[in-house]
mmCIF file of all heavy atoms in Angstrom:
data_model
loop_
_atom_site.group_PDB
_atom_site.id
_atom_site.type_symbol
_atom_site.label_atom_id
_atom_site.label_comp_id
_atom_site.label_asym_id
_atom_site.label_seq_id
_atom_site.Cartn_x
_atom_site.Cartn_y
_atom_site.Cartn_z
ATOM 1 N N ILE A 132 18.270 -5.825 -30.776
ATOM 2 C CA ILE A 132 18.959 -6.266 -29.553
ATOM 3 C C ILE A 132 19.151 -7.767 -29.642
ATOM 4 O O ILE A 132 20.227 -8.254 -29.280
ATOM 5 C CB ILE A 132 18.162 -5.918 -28.282
ATOM 6 C CG1 ILE A 132 18.052 -4.361 -28.189
ATOM 7 C CG2 ILE A 132 18.746 -6.447 -27.019
ATOM 8 C CD1 ILE A 132 17.104 -3.872 -27.101
ATOM 9 N N ALA A 133 18.088 -8.509 -30.150
ATOM 10 C CA ALA A 133 18.200 -9.930 -30.237
ATOM 11 C C ALA A 133 19.345 -10.322 -31.220
ATOM 12 O O ALA A 133 20.141 -11.286 -30.970
ATOM 13 C CB ALA A 133 16.910 -10.514 -30.715
ATOM 14 N N SER A 134 19.485 -9.581 -32.345
ATOM 15 C CA SER A 134 20.481 -9.918 -33.333
ATOM 16 C C SER A 134 21.894 -9.700 -32.794
ATOM 17 O O SER A 134 22.752 -10.521 -33.009
ATOM 18 C CB SER A 134 20.281 -9.128 -34.570
ATOM 19 O OG SER A 134 20.463 -7.772 -34.354
ATOM 20 N N VAL A 135 22.093 -8.624 -32.028
ATOM 21 C CA VAL A 135 23.366 -8.315 -31.392
ATOM 22 C C VAL A 135 23.682 -9.387 -30.344
ATOM 23 O O VAL A 135 24.828 -9.934 -30.225
ATOM 24 C CB VAL A 135 23.388 -6.910 -30.721
ATOM 25 C CG1 VAL A 135 24.633 -6.688 -29.989
ATOM 26 C CG2 VAL A 135 23.250 -5.859 -31.803
ATOM 27 N N THR A 136 22.649 -9.828 -29.602
ATOM 28 C CA THR A 136 22.863 -10.880 -28.584
ATOM 29 C C THR A 136 23.255 -12.162 -29.265
ATOM 30 O O THR A 136 24.191 -12.884 -28.765
ATOM 31 C CB THR A 136 21.627 -11.054 -27.739
ATOM 32 O OG1 THR A 136 21.230 -9.818 -27.158
ATOM 33 C CG2 THR A 136 21.816 -12.054 -26.655
ATOM 34 N N LEU A 137 22.577 -12.610 -30.281
ATOM 35 C CA LEU A 137 22.876 -13.850 -30.986
ATOM 36 C C LEU A 137 24.301 -13.825 -31.606
ATOM 37 O O LEU A 137 25.055 -14.780 -31.565
ATOM 38 C CB LEU A 137 21.778 -14.151 -32.024
ATOM 39 C CG LEU A 137 20.399 -14.505 -31.492
ATOM 40 C CD1 LEU A 137 19.437 -14.494 -32.577
ATOM 41 C CD2 LEU A 137 20.455 -15.837 -30.765
ATOM 42 N N ALA A 138 24.589 -12.610 -32.221
ATOM 43 C CA ALA A 138 25.984 -12.460 -32.815
ATOM 44 C C ALA A 138 26.985 -12.544 -31.801
ATOM 45 O O ALA A 138 28.062 -13.205 -32.005
ATOM 46 C CB ALA A 138 26.027 -11.158 -33.567
ATOM 47 N N ALA A 139 26.748 -11.976 -30.633
ATOM 48 C CA ALA A 139 27.779 -11.998 -29.554
ATOM 49 C C ALA A 139 27.937 -13.422 -29.050
ATOM 50 O O ALA A 139 29.112 -13.836 -28.670
ATOM 51 C CB ALA A 139 27.373 -11.071 -28.432
ATOM 52 N N TYR A 140 26.874 -14.149 -28.992
ATOM 53 C CA TYR A 140 26.973 -15.543 -28.568
ATOM 54 C C TYR A 140 27.675 -16.467 -29.529
ATOM 55 O O TYR A 140 28.426 -17.307 -29.155
ATOM 56 C CB TYR A 140 25.496 -16.034 -28.249
ATOM 57 C CG TYR A 140 25.426 -17.491 -27.902
ATOM 58 C CD1 TYR A 140 25.754 -17.826 -26.534
ATOM 59 C CD2 TYR A 140 24.997 -18.489 -28.697
ATOM 60 C CE1 TYR A 140 25.683 -19.180 -26.127
ATOM 61 C CE2 TYR A 140 24.870 -19.829 -28.319
ATOM 62 C CZ TYR A 140 25.245 -20.182 -27.015
ATOM 63 O OH TYR A 140 25.176 -21.454 -26.600
ATOM 64 N N GLU A 141 27.392 -16.227 -30.860
ATOM 65 C CA GLU A 141 28.006 -17.061 -31.867
ATOM 66 C C GLU A 141 29.474 -16.701 -32.083
ATOM 67 O O GLU A 141 30.323 -17.615 -32.307
ATOM 68 C CB GLU A 141 27.256 -16.820 -33.200
ATOM 69 C CG GLU A 141 25.837 -17.437 -33.153
ATOM 70 C CD GLU A 141 25.789 -18.964 -33.074
ATOM 71 O OE1 GLU A 141 26.725 -19.645 -33.503
ATOM 72 O OE2 GLU A 141 24.837 -19.422 -32.453
ATOM 73 N N CYS A 142 29.776 -15.426 -32.037
ATOM 74 C CA CYS A 142 31.198 -14.961 -32.270
ATOM 75 C C CYS A 142 32.029 -15.033 -31.031
ATOM 76 O O CYS A 142 33.261 -14.883 -31.144
ATOM 77 C CB CYS A 142 31.221 -13.528 -32.848
ATOM 78 S SG CYS A 142 30.292 -13.343 -34.409
ATOM 79 N N SER A 143 31.377 -15.157 -29.888
ATOM 80 C CA SER A 143 32.168 -15.084 -28.580
ATOM 81 C C SER A 143 32.958 -13.798 -28.488
ATOM 82 O O SER A 143 34.059 -13.746 -27.974
ATOM 83 C CB SER A 143 33.088 -16.294 -28.473
ATOM 84 O OG SER A 143 32.347 -17.462 -28.471
ATOM 85 N N SER A 144 32.382 -12.700 -29.015
ATOM 86 C CA SER A 144 33.061 -11.373 -28.970
ATOM 87 C C SER A 144 31.994 -10.335 -29.230
ATOM 88 O O SER A 144 30.921 -10.510 -29.759
ATOM 89 C CB SER A 144 34.117 -11.353 -30.133
ATOM 90 O OG SER A 144 34.680 -10.061 -30.168
ATOM 91 N N LEU A 145 32.389 -9.073 -28.771
ATOM 92 C CA LEU A 145 31.560 -7.922 -29.032
ATOM 93 C C LEU A 145 32.304 -6.875 -29.808
ATOM 94 O O LEU A 145 32.002 -5.679 -29.797
ATOM 95 C CB LEU A 145 31.115 -7.278 -27.716
ATOM 96 C CG LEU A 145 30.000 -8.025 -27.011
ATOM 97 C CD1 LEU A 145 29.763 -7.402 -25.574
ATOM 98 C CD2 LEU A 145 28.700 -7.897 -27.757
ATOM 99 N N ASN A 146 33.340 -7.309 -30.573
ATOM 100 C CA ASN A 146 34.141 -6.426 -31.427
ATOM 101 C C ASN A 146 33.466 -6.059 -32.727
ATOM 102 O O ASN A 146 34.092 -6.168 -33.772
ATOM 103 C CB ASN A 146 35.543 -6.990 -31.596
ATOM 104 C CG ASN A 146 36.304 -7.064 -30.273
ATOM 105 O OD1 ASN A 146 36.146 -6.256 -29.416
ATOM 106 N ND2 ASN A 146 37.088 -8.121 -30.162
ATOM 107 N N PHE A 147 32.203 -5.707 -32.718
ATOM 108 C CA PHE A 147 31.529 -5.301 -33.825
ATOM 109 C C PHE A 147 31.833 -3.757 -34.114
ATOM 110 O O PHE A 147 32.313 -3.132 -33.245
ATOM 111 C CB PHE A 147 29.997 -5.404 -33.771
ATOM 112 C CG PHE A 147 29.626 -6.831 -33.303
ATOM 113 C CD1 PHE A 147 28.775 -6.938 -32.288
ATOM 114 C CD2 PHE A 147 30.076 -7.947 -34.065
ATOM 115 C CE1 PHE A 147 28.348 -8.239 -31.897
ATOM 116 C CE2 PHE A 147 29.707 -9.197 -33.612
ATOM 117 C CZ PHE A 147 28.828 -9.368 -32.508
ATOM 118 N N PRO A 148 31.486 -3.311 -35.302
ATOM 119 C CA PRO A 148 31.644 -1.831 -35.555
ATOM 120 C C PRO A 148 30.747 -1.103 -34.640
ATOM 121 O O PRO A 148 29.688 -1.549 -34.172
ATOM 122 C CB PRO A 148 31.263 -1.663 -36.938
ATOM 123 C CG PRO A 148 31.285 -2.953 -37.598
ATOM 124 C CD PRO A 148 31.080 -3.987 -36.468
ATOM 125 N N GLU A 149 31.196 0.126 -34.262
ATOM 126 C CA GLU A 149 30.343 1.034 -33.398
ATOM 127 C C GLU A 149 29.116 1.411 -34.210
ATOM 128 O O GLU A 149 29.102 1.407 -35.487
ATOM 129 C CB GLU A 149 31.160 2.196 -33.030
ATOM 130 C CG GLU A 149 32.219 1.958 -32.019
ATOM 131 C CD GLU A 149 31.735 1.416 -30.674
ATOM 132 O OE1 GLU A 149 30.681 1.823 -30.211
ATOM 133 O OE2 GLU A 149 32.354 0.439 -30.194
ATOM 134 N N PRO A 150 28.001 1.712 -33.569
ATOM 135 C CA PRO A 150 26.802 2.128 -34.220
ATOM 136 C C PRO A 150 27.098 3.411 -35.041
ATOM 137 O O PRO A 150 27.841 4.198 -34.611
ATOM 138 C CB PRO A 150 25.778 2.370 -33.133
ATOM 139 C CG PRO A 150 26.560 2.490 -31.911
ATOM 140 C CD PRO A 150 27.826 1.688 -32.078
ATOM 141 N N PRO A 151 26.496 3.616 -36.259
ATOM 142 C CA PRO A 151 25.463 2.761 -36.842
ATOM 143 C C PRO A 151 26.022 1.495 -37.417
ATOM 144 O O PRO A 151 27.100 1.483 -38.119
ATOM 145 C CB PRO A 151 24.836 3.551 -37.894
ATOM 146 C CG PRO A 151 25.923 4.501 -38.261
ATOM 147 C CD PRO A 151 26.707 4.807 -37.040
ATOM 148 N N TYR A 152 25.392 0.333 -37.124
ATOM 149 C CA TYR A 152 25.860 -0.950 -37.638
ATOM 150 C C TYR A 152 25.611 -1.046 -39.151
ATOM 151 O O TYR A 152 24.711 -0.345 -39.661
ATOM 152 C CB TYR A 152 25.119 -2.036 -36.982
ATOM 153 C CG TYR A 152 25.379 -2.162 -35.425
ATOM 154 C CD1 TYR A 152 24.501 -1.632 -34.587
ATOM 155 C CD2 TYR A 152 26.611 -2.723 -34.993
ATOM 156 C CE1 TYR A 152 24.711 -1.735 -33.202
ATOM 157 C CE2 TYR A 152 26.791 -2.729 -33.641
ATOM 158 C CZ TYR A 152 25.912 -2.289 -32.751
ATOM 159 O OH TYR A 152 26.131 -2.353 -31.386
ATOM 160 N N PRO A 153 26.309 -1.905 -39.820
ATOM 161 C CA PRO A 153 25.971 -2.160 -41.236
ATOM 162 C C PRO A 153 24.720 -3.020 -41.308
ATOM 163 O O PRO A 153 24.152 -3.383 -40.245
ATOM 164 C CB PRO A 153 27.219 -2.978 -41.701
ATOM 165 C CG PRO A 153 27.797 -3.526 -40.516
ATOM 166 C CD PRO A 153 27.503 -2.549 -39.423
ATOM 167 N N ASN A 154 24.344 -3.339 -42.459
ATOM 168 C CA ASN A 154 23.061 -4.116 -42.641
ATOM 169 C C ASN A 154 23.238 -5.544 -42.020
ATOM 170 O O ASN A 154 22.258 -6.081 -41.564
ATOM 171 C CB ASN A 154 22.754 -4.286 -44.188
ATOM 172 C CG ASN A 154 22.357 -2.890 -44.777
ATOM 173 O OD1 ASN A 154 21.800 -2.056 -44.064
ATOM 174 N ND2 ASN A 154 22.638 -2.772 -46.028
#
Side-chain angles (χ1 to χ4, degrees):
I132 297 172
S134 65
V135 172
T136 304
L137 291 171
Y140 179 75
E141 293 294 329
C142 301
S143 300
S144 174
L145 283 171
N146 295 325
F147 307 129
E149 290 298 320
Y152 295 101
N154 294 329

